[in-house]
C-alpha cells in the first residue's frame, strides 16, 4: 500500500504523479485587453468564493489596477492560461 501524507481525514498529498486534465495555452496578457482582464477577475471571484466565502470579494476596479500595475507599481507582466475553447482558466502576475 502506497504511503500518502494526510491531515485528519483530508488527503494533502498523493503518492503518484499528477497530470493536468487537458491542454491549455499560456500567453502574455495585453493590458489593453479589457475582456481578458474581466475574465481573470471572474477566475479570482470563483477562487475567492471557495477560499474565503465570508470576506467580501475584491471589486473589479481594484483588481484591474493590480493586474496592470501591481500593488507597489513594480514593473511586471501578467500571463493568462486558456482552455482549448479560449476561455480563461487561470492567470499569474510576475513582478
Amino acid at each position: 500500500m502506497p504511503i500518502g501524507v494526510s491531515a485528519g481525514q483530508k488527503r494533502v498529498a498523493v503518492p503518484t504523479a499528477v497530470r493536468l486534465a487537458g491542454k491549455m495555452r499560456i500567453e502574455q496578457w495585453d493590458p489593453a485587453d479589457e475582456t481578458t482582464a474581466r475574465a481573470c477577475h471572474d477566475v479570482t471571484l470563483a477562487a475567492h468564493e471557495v477560499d474565503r466565502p465570508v470576506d467580501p470579494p475584491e471589486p473589479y476596479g481594484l483588481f484591474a489596477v493590480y493586474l496592470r500595475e501591481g500593488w507597489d507599481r513594480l514593473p511586471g507582466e501578467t500571463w493568462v492560461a486558456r482552455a482549448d475553447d479560449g476561455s480563461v482558466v487561470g492567470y499569474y502576475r510576475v513582478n
Side-chain angles (χ1 to χ4, degrees), residues 38-56:
R38 289 194 177 275
C40 290
H41 186 245
D42 290 342
V43 168
T44 297
L45 291 178
H48 179 88
E49 189 175 309
V50 173
D51 293 341
R52 298 180 292 162
V54 176
D55 298 334

Side-chain angles (χ1 to χ4, degrees), residues 10 20 26 48-49 52-53 66-68 71 78 83 91 94:
K10 185 175 180 181
L20 295 174
I26 298 175
H48 179 88
E49 189 175 309
R52 298 180 292 162
Y66 162 72
L67 209 58
R68 289 182 173 89
W71 293 130
T78 299
Y91 71 91
V94 182

Side-chain angles (χ1 to χ4, degrees), residues 24-88:
M24 70 177 77
R25 195 172 69 238
I26 298 175
E27 59 191 38
Q28 189 169 6
W29 172 67
D30 175 4
D33 182 356
E34 188 74 20
T35 301
T36 300
R38 289 194 177 275
C40 290
H41 186 245
D42 290 342
V43 168
T44 297
L45 291 178
H48 179 88
E49 189 175 309
V50 173
D51 293 341
R52 298 180 292 162
V54 176
D55 298 334
E58 184 175 58
Y60 173 72
L62 187 59
F63 175 82
V65 170
Y66 162 72
L67 209 58
R68 289 182 173 89
E69 302 176 16
W71 293 130
D72 298 323
R73 295 185 186 243
L74 295 171
E77 51 192 47
T78 299
W79 291 80
V80 177
R82 295 185 184 273
D84 287 338
D85 65 0
S87 63
V88 173

